[in-house]
Amino acid sequence: MPAQYQLTVKQARRLIVDSVGLGKPWKFPKGKRGVAELVDRMSYVQVDTINVIERAHHHALWSRRPSYKPEQLVELQAKDRLVFECFPGVASYGPMKDYRFYLPRGGKHSENSWWRKWLGVHKDLVPKVLERVREEGPLSTSDFEITTGRAGAWWDWKPAKMALEYLFHTGELMIADRQNFQRIYDIPERVLPDWVDTTEPTDEELGRFAVRRILGLHGVFPVLKSRWWIAPKRVMVAAIDELVKEGEAVPVEIKGTEGPQAYALAETLERKVPSATKSVSILSPFDSLVIERDWLKRVFEFDYKIECYTPAQKRVYGYFCLPILSGADVVGRLDAKAERKEGVLAVKKIYLEKDIDEAVFIERVAKELKAFAKFNGCDSVRIDETSPIKLKETLQTAVGG
């Protein structure tokens, strides 16, 4: 293996798409066990609350496993205890076997300046909230609301909610379940299976774990620019240096691009660069392929941001615009909403941005839209607007109607 490996942009795209699980389908067992293995292979699945379509964590899993059902992830967390909610920089589901590697982050959480300020006002509340969960069992934020007959109780809802979140981030509480998407908190002793290793890792173990996970997930990536903030930068730098010296990780140059140094695992580069698939995928804005926006722009030449937090009058592509992957290229955007009462997946607008064979694309995207509609509990697809305009009638016919 050379000291620095070179890839063309086309090779890098194919390798990345394959590594994130959107190329040739990964083979896993049927049922929940296969979903648990999928979460493990992905390293983490980001959680998001927006539900104009099916929520992001379910969407990302479905994109890689068309047989996936949202209740499978729910059961893996609440019953099987094979996944847990963690915070590698963003709220996520991760494989339970990785639990020990999140312990150092929890221990440092109280050092955050915002939390220090909050604790200065509410420090007496935190142990009381913890004690109540310990004594009463799993509780949600609604269990701390002041109701009739309880006025004057020590738990004021908003600070109590923040106390629960603080205890979750420090690791003193875990998320045992979700009911109607509301978190149910409990102490780790009642959530962790007996087989889970709870030994806190050394800096070396943590750094190696983080680098391997990041590169295993992305295939090729500038590790130090990752959103996966599970280890301090100094720990990551040391781990990269050691893994490169040992030949397990390799610096990578992507020809024609500029930016921070990228790396890949040697075993990834030893694989044959896969051919691009012929499929089309509608991706979540929080999918691991597109969540690293600078990297997406550098390698895939796709400048993307989610606009749900942008004032309506300033939106360019829509409230919840979804990237469209065709083969190993990100070729467009789709603003969609599941109109569940009517049973319709409304495509507010679909934009094509690259020069592609439109007839072939329409056939493939229509197939994906029909599957996506079914996943969202809809029976039909309505195309409101397309760019270019000429695609609307053809695409509506292709999806039916």
Side-chain angles (χ1 to χ4, degrees):
M1 189 71 65
Q4 176 151 304
Y5 201 91
Q6 288 191 331
L7 292 170
T8 65
V9 168
K10 182 180 291 188
Q11 288 173 327
R13 289 179 183 175
R14 290 178 178 179
L15 199 59
I16 292 166
V17 168
D18 186 64
S19 294
V20 300
L22 294 167
K24 185 178 179 181
W26 288 333
K27 293 182 180 180
F28 294 119
K30 294 180 180 180
K32 289 186 293 180
R33 176 65 63 172
V35 177
E37 292 188 17
L38 175 57
V39 173
D40 184 20
R41 180 65 182 80
M42 293 175 69
S43 299
Y44 76 97
V45 181
Q46 185 168 340
V47 178
D48 193 69
T49 60
I50 296 172
N51 67 342
V52 291
I53 57 170
E54 187 59 82
R55 288 188 170 95
H57 40 291
H58 297 311
H59 185 173
L61 292 168
W62 174 83
S63 294
R64 292 155 175 82
R65 188 178 174 90
S67 63
Y68 169 75
K69 306 293 182 186
E71 58 266 24
Q72 292 175 319
L73 185 63
V74 173
E75 291 184 8
L76 285 170
Q77 176 186 29
K79 296 180 180 179
D80 304 297
R81 305 299 194 199
L82 291 177
V83 302
F84 78 112
E85 291 194 41
C86 51
F87 203 85
V90 289
S92 305
Y93 287 100
M96 183 66 84
K97 71 176 189 177
D98 288 354
Y99 173 79
R100 67 185 290 251
F101 294 102
Y102 289 84
L103 294 174
R105 179 180 174 84
K108 295 180 181 298
H109 196 72
S110 60
E111 298 175 8
N112 177 282
S113 59
W114 190 93
W115 279 113
R116 282 204 308 269
K117 183 178 179 180
W118 185 87
L119 287 169
V121 179
H122 301 287
K123 63 180 179 179
D124 293 338
L125 178 62
V126 173
K128 293 177 181 178
V129 169
L130 178 59
E131 185 60 25
R132 186 173 166 201
V133 176
R134 189 179 301 279
E135 290 184 355
E136 297 183 29
L139 297 175
S140 68
T141 55
S142 62
D143 292 308
F144 290 83
E145 293 178 0
I146 296 176
T147 57
T148 303
R150 297 175 72 180
W154 58 262
W155 49 85
D156 180 61
W157 180 74
K158 189 173 181 179
K161 179 180 178 180
M162 294 305 298
L164 287 166
E165 282 297 289
Y166 174 78
L167 290 164
F168 164 62
H169 283 290
T170 59
E172 294 172 88
L173 290 179
M174 295 183 69
I175 310 303
D177 192 4
R178 280 186 184 253
Q179 295 178 7
N180 297 321
F181 203 61
Q182 187 177 55
R183 285 171 162 172
I184 309 297
Y185 300 83
D186 203 355
I187 58 174
E189 294 88 336
R190 291 196 290 254
V191 176
L192 292 172
D194 293 341
W195 53 264
V196 172
D197 186 352
T198 58
T199 307
E200 188 162 331
T202 64
D203 280 355
E204 181 180 3
E205 289 175 321
L206 180 62
R208 286 172 175 264
F209 167 80
V211 172
R212 286 169 178 153
R213 274 300 197 187
I214 291 167
L215 294 182
L217 169 65
H218 292 290
V220 181
F221 194 74
V223 174
L224 296 180
K225 293 297 181 179
S226 176
R227 289 162 51 94
W228 214 58
W229 305 321
I230 196 172
K233 183 176 180 179
R234 61 175 178 79
V235 172
M236 298 286 281
V237 169
I240 294 169
D241 289 345
E242 288 302 311
L243 290 171
V244 169
K245 288 177 183 177
E246 294 166 10
E248 185 175 341
V250 181
V252 174
E253 175 193 353
I254 301 176
K255 298 176 183 177
T257 72
E258 295 181 358
Q261 177 64 62
Y263 298 85
L265 295 176
E267 63 183 29
T268 299
L269 298 175
E270 288 166 359
R271 300 199 310 255
K272 181 180 178 181
V273 175
S275 300
T277 66
K278 297 180 180 180
S279 62
V280 166
S281 296
I282 297 167
L283 304 179
S284 163
F286 305 100
D287 194 280
S288 52
L289 180 70
V290 300
I291 195 60
E292 302 284 0
R293 310 297 196 218
D294 290 343
W295 184 241
L296 182 68
K297 186 175 181 180
R298 174 178 165 184
V299 179
F300 290 85
E301 299 177 318
F302 191 74
D303 193 0
Y304 175 66
K305 65 178 278 188
I306 185 171
E307 296 182 316
C308 54
Y309 306 112
T310 301
Q313 66 274 18
K314 294 184 179 181
R315 291 176 193 147
V316 177
Y317 297 108
Y319 177 79
F320 204 62
C321 202
L322 315 175
I324 303 172
L325 177 71
S326 179
D329 295 307
V330 187
V331 300
R333 309 165 201 253
L334 166 70
D335 184 28
K337 180 181 180 181
E339 297 177 351
R340 297 178 176 93
K341 288 184 179 180
E342 296 79 13
V344 176
L345 178 70
V347 176
K348 302 295 185 181
K349 190 167 184 178
I350 186 169
Y351 308 76
L352 290 188
E353 301 183 11
K354 296 192 177 181
D355 185 17
I356 59 175
D357 186 324
E358 292 179 1
V360 173
F361 174 79
I362 285 176
E363 178 183 350
R364 292 172 182 168
V365 79
K367 180 180 178 181
E368 177 74 353
L369 279 169
K370 287 187 281 188
F372 191 56
K374 184 177 180 181
F375 172 62
N376 279 277
C378 299
D379 301 316
S380 61
V381 180
R382 186 184 74 237
I383 309 298
D384 292 342
E385 188 177 352
T386 64
S387 178
I389 297 174
K390 63 180 181 178
L391 298 180
K392 179 178 177 179
E393 184 176 347
T394 307
L395 184 55
Q396 184 66 74
T397 300
V399 297

